[in-house]
Amino acid sequence: MLPFARVAILGLGLIGSSVARGVRASMPSVALSGYDADPQVRETARAIDLVDDVADTAGAAVIDADLVILCVPVGAMGGLAAEFADDLPAEAIVSDVGSCKASVVEALTAALPGATIVPAHPVAGTENSGPEAGFAALFHKRWCIVTPAPDAPQVAVERVSEFWRRLGADVEIMEPEHHDRVLAVTSHLPHLIAYTIVGTASDLEEVTSSEVIKYSAGGFRDFTRIAASDPTMWRDVFLANKDAVLDMLQRFSEDLSELQRAIRWGKGDQLFETFTRTRAVRRSIIEQGQDDARPDFGRSDH
Ligand SMILES: NC(=O)C1=CN([C@@H]2O[C@H](COP(=O)(O)OP(=O)(O)OC[C@H]3O[C@@H](n4cnc5c(N)ncnc54)[C@H](O)[C@@H]3O)[C@@H](O)[C@H]2O)C=CC1
Ligand SMILES: O=C(O)C(=O)Cc1ccc(O)cc1
């Protein structure tokens, strides 16, 4: 049996539109409604027939949904929830896809007292944004971390988990705070580093920007892809996951200083040892089949 019959997607960008396409592909009998604050996004969603009904308000989109998924920047979650609170059916489950969880659980719980809230984070995405950037296979073989509020009924957690499994994801349950520490080091800090290094390279006065583009080797190119990610989304992630990010950044700075000293004092063995250890991390990611670079990664119906 399908976990839900009527799904409302609020925020029709990369992730919202990927969820919509995934539902159409794997659960075609589900009725889909959608809403986005941006009228142009709503217009595009209608033009490409993304969902069955694009509503002009959040309340109208959720009015008869049994699952409501918020797919907006994490800083916008609480305000959006307050917009539709009066129209939310009593039996509906509310979820989201935000990249950090503790602040989102708090914001949704405050805006929707008494509602069943089961937040989730599909650990899958790209540097692109908007309703035309999404694709159904985005979540295939990727993790989706479900972080239920302490009082969420087990049956609701299981229905949300089954929804993500049907979109192709592998589901893991985690405490929101633990999620935020793990993702601070595996996702948030890497984005901060990418934003920094691309900024540093483009500010160098003795290197012209055309040289940076012309001679960018693979490593720098990978950073520019990540540094092209949506500024609103990432501003919100860093503000919302401040404590965990600052803690990981502190550890990173210490480790970077150690490498800096090793270079200064010609400690080749130390550099070699560190690089050997990190190479092993890459190999175990590939062995676990979690590598974006595998040939079929999400492009089949892009
Ligand atoms: N981009 C990525 O790779 C991933 C993003 N996420 C999370 O998914 C969420 C959405 O991100 P994307 O889809 O990438 O962003 P996006 O920028 O492609 O789409 C966000 C959409 O939300 C709309 N929006 C913003 N504020 C709103 C509001 N108050 N009410 C209604 N609509 C509103 C925007 O108009 C936009 O169309 C974020 O919380 C992000 O942290 C999770 C996994 C991966
Ligand atoms: O494009 C990339 O490399 C990503 O890392 C995508 C991504 C961005 C944010 C998330 O919360 C999860 C995945």
Side-chain angles (χ1 to χ4, degrees), residues 13-15 36-38 71-74 80 97-99 122 124-126 129-130 233:
L14 169 73
I15 301 298
D36 196 286
D38 183 339
C71 303
V72 300
V74 291
L80 176 57
V97 296
S99 299
T126 73
S129 311
M233 170 190 153

Side-chain angles (χ1 to χ4, degrees), residues 67-301:
L67 173 66
V68 176
I69 311 185
L70 284 74
C71 303
V72 300
V74 291
M77 298 278 181
L80 176 57
E83 270 180 52
F84 67 75
D86 290 344
D87 296 297
L88 184 70
E91 73 285 2
I93 293 173
V94 177
S95 188
D96 76 294
V97 296
S99 299
C100 47
K101 305 289 7 146
S103 67
V104 173
V105 174
E106 195 184 326
L108 294 184
T109 309
L112 303 168
T116 303
I117 299 168
V118 183
H121 175 204
V123 188
T126 73
E127 70 281 17
N128 301 318
S129 311
E132 289 168 300
F135 51 103
L138 178 61
F139 311 115
H140 286 187
K141 298 185 192 149
R142 311 310 304 245
W143 289 110
C144 180
I145 303 173
V146 175
T147 62
D151 58 348
Q154 189 50 38
V155 63
V157 176
E158 188 40 50
R159 285 172 74 193
V160 170
S161 301
E162 178 58 18
F163 178 80
W164 282 101
R165 279 187 216 107
R166 293 212 181 219
L167 294 184
D170 295 320
V171 172
E172 195 98 320
I173 310 286
M174 238 183 237
E175 298 265 332
E177 289 73 17
H178 184 66
H179 166 281
D180 288 357
R181 286 187 63 75
V182 173
L183 272 289
V185 71
T186 60
S187 177
H188 307 167
L189 192 55
H191 277 77
L192 193 67
I193 293 166
Y195 282 125
T196 311
I197 195 167
V198 174
T200 303
S202 67
D203 284 348
L204 286 177
E205 276 156 19
E206 71 271 28
V207 180
T208 67
S209 58
S210 69
E211 279 177 310
V212 169
I213 292 163
K214 188 170 166 188
Y215 299 118
S216 70
F220 186 73
R221 272 175 195 269
D222 290 349
F223 280 125
T224 61
R225 184 189 72 75
I226 295 173
S229 300
D230 188 69
T232 304
M233 170 190 153
W234 283 101
R235 175 203 62 195
D236 282 11
V237 169
F238 290 118
L239 296 180
N241 200 22
K242 173 178 164 181
D243 293 344
V245 168
L246 289 179
D247 186 23
M248 296 304 164
L249 188 57
Q250 177 64 31
R251 288 164 186 245
F252 173 78
S253 305
E254 288 166 16
D255 292 345
L256 188 61
S257 297
E258 262 190 47
L259 288 183
Q260 195 175 356
R261 285 171 66 84
I263 293 169
R264 184 179 311 286
W265 299 107
K267 292 189 172 172
D269 288 353
Q270 189 184 337
L271 295 175
F272 185 82
E273 208 176 282
T274 303
F275 302 159
T276 304
R277 207 156 42 83
T278 58
R279 180 177 248 191
V281 173
R282 169 71 180 170
R283 288 188 174 150
S284 48
I285 289 173
I286 290 172
E287 274 162 24
Q288 286 174 24
Q290 291 286 319
D291 175 28
D292 286 2
R294 63 192 189 274
D296 69 333
F297 172 63
R299 301 295 161 193
S300 53
D301 67 345

